[in-house]
Amino acid sequence: MTDRTILVMGGAHVDRRGRIAGETVPGASNPGGWFVEAGGGAFNAARNLARLGHRVRLVSPRGGDKDGEIVAAAAQAAGVEDTPFTFLDRATPSYTAIIERDGNLVIALADMELYRLFSPRRLQQRAMREAIAGAGALLTDANLPAETLDAMAAMAREASIPLAAIAISPAKVVRLEKSLPALAFLFMNEAEARTLTGANPENPADWPDALRAIGLRAGVVTRGGRGVISFDENSAAIVVPPAIPALGDVTGAGDSLASGFLHARLRGARINEALRQGVAAAVITVRSPLAVAEEMSQPALADALSLVPPAEILS
C-alpha cells in the first residue's frame, strides 16, 4: 500500500434521501421518511479509502452553513484530512433523492452551483500545486467544471501521478471527455458509458473496445446487479456481483466499488482481482442504510470478498 496521500478533489456535499414506505405510486403523495447524511461521489470514495487504511486529503468547495458542518463532521469521523475552500456567504451543495422501498432510485435533484467556483485558478495556488506534487494518487469526480478537470488532468500527467475519476451522471460525465486520455481509471455505469461513446453493445464484453476507441485507457463499467466490467490497455475482466437478500440502499454503491478497486490497485493487484475487491466493497455498502458504511474496513472487505465469484477474463 502506498504511504503517500491520496488527494481527492471533487464533490462533498449533503445528501437528503426520501424513502418510500410502500409501493411507489407516481403522481401521488407516498408515505415515507427522510434521511440526511454527507455525500458526494468523491467524498464517499474518500471516506471508504480512509477506512481501508489510506491517508486521504479532501479539497472541495463548501458553504458556511449547517450543511457544511455535516460534511466536516463526516470527514473527521472517517479520518479524512479536510481542507475545503469555504465560502461563508454561500450554501453547501446538496443532493436530494427519492428512493423506492427496495432501495432503487426514482428521481433526484442536484443543487451543485457552488462547484463552479472550483476553477482552474484554484489549482494554481501554491498550496494546491504542492498538494498535487506530493500526492501518490489523485481522485476526482464530474461534479467539477470541465475546464478544472482538464487542468487537473494536465497537472497529473505532467507530474506522472495517476488520476482516477468518478462519472457521477450521464449529464456530467461529458465534462471528462477531453480528459479521458489522461485518466488512469474512469468509474461509470452503462448509461454514462453510452453517453460517452454513443454505443449500446448487446454484449457487455464489447464495452472495453468502445471506450478505448474514444481515448480511455482504463475503466470500470457497472451494470447494476449484472456483470461489472473492468479493463486497461491490455486486458479486460467481468465479475457478476453476488445476490444480496437484505438490500439496504444502493446510494454510494458505485463510489464504494471505485474505492475498493483503487485500494487493490494501489497495492499492485491486477484488474481482475481489483474488480473483485471493488465488488466486495459495494456489497458492504448496499447492505448498509448509509452511502458510506461505517463497518468498511480491511477485515470487512476480506469477509465480503469471500462472497464474490472469480472474475472471468475477457481478454
Side-chain angles (χ1 to χ4, degrees):
M1 184 183 300
T2 179
D3 59 357
R4 298 174 67 186
T5 297
I6 300 172
L7 180 61
V8 178
M9 298 173 284
H13 47 256
V14 168
D15 280 350
R16 293 179 173 86
R17 299 200 297 279
R19 188 152 187 163
I20 297 170
E23 293 297 323
T24 303
V25 182
S29 176
N30 288 262
W34 282 102
F35 181 75
V36 179
E37 66 172 340
F43 188 36
N44 290 343
R47 287 182 285 164
N48 283 320
L49 285 164
R51 287 189 164 123
L52 289 171
H54 297 269
R55 291 169 52 191
V56 181
R57 178 179 175 184
L58 172 72
V59 179
S60 186
R62 195 168 309 159
D65 53 12
K66 292 292 185 183
D67 284 353
E69 293 174 6
I70 291 173
V71 174
Q76 182 178 22
V80 172
E81 181 186 358
D82 186 28
T83 56
F85 298 129
T86 302
F87 299 86
L88 296 177
D89 60 341
R90 303 278 185 141
T92 298
S94 63
Y95 170 84
T96 303
I98 301 298
I99 307 292
E100 290 188 301
R101 182 176 59 181
D102 62 5
N104 287 307
L105 178 68
V106 178
I107 195 169
L109 175 67
D111 179 5
M112 305 290 176
E113 280 300 304
L114 191 62
Y115 292 135
R116 292 181 181 273
L117 299 185
F118 197 147
S119 67
R121 291 178 59 187
R122 293 279 178 181
L123 297 174
Q124 295 304 319
Q125 294 177 353
R126 180 176 177 179
M128 286 300 305
R129 294 199 312 269
E130 291 177 349
I132 291 171
L138 306 178
L139 174 63
T140 190
D141 66 26
N143 280 309
L144 300 187
E147 59 270 22
T148 304
L149 295 167
D150 294 345
M152 193 184 302
M155 294 175 73
R157 181 166 44 202
E158 182 178 350
S160 299
I161 299 170
L163 170 64
I166 297 172
I168 300 297
S169 71
K172 294 181 178 180
V173 71
V174 293
R175 299 174 184 174
L176 289 160
E177 283 181 322
K178 292 183 180 179
S179 307
L180 293 179
L183 295 181
F185 273 94
L186 175 61
F187 299 91
M188 72 206 98
N189 60 33
E190 275 197 309
E192 293 151 358
R194 284 195 294 269
T195 298
L196 283 176
T197 63
N200 188 21
E202 292 184 9
N203 185 349
D206 293 334
W207 273 124
D209 284 343
L211 289 158
R212 289 174 182 135
I214 60 169
L216 183 64
R217 293 180 293 132
V220 174
V221 181
T222 62
R223 304 168 61 244
R226 299 169 295 156
V228 183
I229 300 104
S230 65
F231 69 95
D232 60 16
E233 297 97 324
N234 304 310
S235 59
I238 185 170
V239 168
V240 178
I244 306 299
L247 186 65
D249 190 333
V250 298
T251 304
D255 306 327
S256 62
L257 189 148
S259 56
F261 185 98
L262 290 173
H263 167 70
R265 286 294 284 183
L266 290 171
R267 301 174 76 184
R270 296 179 181 273
I271 61 165
N272 57 316
E273 183 55 29
L275 183 58
R276 291 188 68 240
Q277 294 201 37
V279 171
V283 166
I284 294 170
T285 299
V286 298
R287 286 173 162 176
S288 168
L290 304 176
V292 177
E294 293 179 345
E295 58 269 31
M296 183 69 72
S297 64
Q298 291 190 46
L301 187 65
D303 288 344
L305 189 61
S306 66
L307 303 174
V308 181
E312 177 188 350
I313 305 301
L314 299 177
S315 60

